[in-house]
Amino acid sequence: MKEKLKNQKLLVLGIVFMILFNFPILSIVNHDTKIKGIPTLYFYVFTIWILFIGIIYWSVRNEEQEINKDE
């Protein structure tokens, strides 16, 4: 049951981040402005990418700790 819940969480995360990397959202941040010398689009993509990796790591790690507790 917990494995199914973990898979569902990862699926929802994947869908959310696919939406964040899709055209309408990317066009919102595609300006000629810069944040600390980095173009806004690059800053957005790399920030979302790092958040995606961190949230997946945190989610999978918490699920593994809960499974180990139950055993």
Side-chain angles (χ1 to χ4, degrees):
M1 182 67 175
K2 291 191 184 244
E3 186 71 26
K4 186 177 181 181
L5 182 62
K6 181 172 83 171
N7 289 339
Q8 289 175 348
K9 284 181 183 178
L10 292 175
L11 179 65
V12 169
L13 280 172
I15 291 170
V16 167
F17 285 105
M18 280 184 1
I19 291 169
L20 290 174
F21 283 128
N22 215 338
F23 170 69
I25 304 298
L26 286 177
S27 66
I28 293 172
V29 296
N30 192 11
H31 308 231
D32 289 335
T33 59
K34 295 185 178 189
I35 299 173
K36 296 186 179 184
I38 303 169
T40 309
L41 180 62
Y42 293 169
F43 185 80
Y44 172 80
V45 168
F46 286 114
T47 303
I48 296 298
W49 183 41
I50 290 170
L51 284 174
F52 181 58
I53 292 169
I55 291 171
I56 287 177
Y57 173 76
W58 177 75
S59 176
V60 170
R61 186 168 181 229
N62 283 344
E63 290 292 328
E64 288 176 358
Q65 287 176 351
E66 288 179 15
I67 289 171
N68 290 337
K69 252 188 233 180
D70 292 342
E71 293 177 355

